[in-house]
Amino acid sequence: MARRRGRRILVVLALLAALVMGGLICAKYAIIPSVIRQKASAAVRERWNGDLTIGDVDFNWTGPISLGRIELRDAAGRPWAKVGSVQLMLQNWPSVHPVLTEVEVNNVELQALFAGGKLQLPLKPAPLSAAPGAKSRYVNLQSFTVRNMSLAV
């Protein structure tokens, strides 16, 4: 009887361990990259009248977050920027409220579009903030690096 109870406990512990491992794998490869894409797109939509497409998200539990094959298009679908990769370094990671501290952008191709001889940036007006100069709890940007950039007119 004690032996049977011991086996049941081992089976339950093995199933629990498999469930936890399955959850972590699902989080790493499906859930968290999807959340990162949604958060990045929402942040861009606050200031940009168009779409952001992120091809690759490489999420690490202890290292930087890497975004790859990024495209920024205006509302008409015209490409404005293509970015090879972006590295995001976070403080307090992993946690519920990580803080963005460093950004490194590589292989940027910008396309300037003109209408009537004027540059037509599809930017939205800046939102009115409740307190001028207020700091974000989620951003404490200390370094922003851009490498290998080109501009086509």
Side-chain angles (χ1 to χ4, degrees), residues 75-88:
R78 298 175 297 192
W80 277 82
K82 290 183 180 181
V83 178
S85 67
V86 175
Q87 297 271 355
L88 306 172

Side-chain angles (χ1 to χ4, degrees):
M1 180 123 166
R3 199 175 254 180
R4 187 177 282 169
R5 180 178 284 166
R7 281 188 184 158
R8 284 184 185 164
I9 290 173
L10 284 176
V11 168
V12 168
L13 288 176
L15 289 173
L16 185 60
L19 184 64
V20 168
M21 288 301 291
L24 289 174
I25 290 170
C26 184
K28 178 173 175 30
Y29 293 107
I31 297 170
I32 293 175
S34 177
V35 169
I36 290 170
R37 280 186 180 96
Q38 289 173 354
K39 293 281 187 182
S41 293
V44 167
R45 274 194 300 274
E46 287 179 10
R47 296 292 312 222
W48 185 263
N49 188 18
D51 293 321
L52 172 72
T53 303
I54 301 172
D56 303 320
V57 176
D58 184 18
F59 162 77
N60 293 308
W61 292 106
T62 59
I65 296 171
S66 298
L67 309 176
R69 297 184 301 124
I70 300 166
E71 289 190 18
L72 190 60
R73 296 181 176 272
D74 63 11
R78 298 175 297 192
W80 277 82
K82 290 183 180 181
V83 178
S85 67
V86 175
Q87 297 271 355
L88 306 172
M89 280 58 95
L90 305 170
Q91 272 181 342
N92 304 330
W93 183 250
S95 75
V96 178
H97 298 291
V99 178
L100 178 64
T101 57
E102 296 179 42
V103 176
E104 182 180 306
V105 183
N106 295 299
N107 303 321
V108 180
E109 297 175 22
L110 298 176
Q111 177 71 42
L113 300 173
F114 292 86
K118 293 184 180 179
L119 181 63
Q120 300 294 313
L121 288 172
L123 296 175
K124 293 179 180 176
L128 299 174
S129 65
K135 290 183 130 183
S136 170
R137 303 182 332 182
Y138 305 109
V139 178
N140 182 14
L141 201 55
Q142 299 168 4
S143 172
F144 189 92
T145 307
V146 178
R147 293 194 172 103
N148 193 19
M149 185 171 94
S150 66
L151 173 64
V153 180

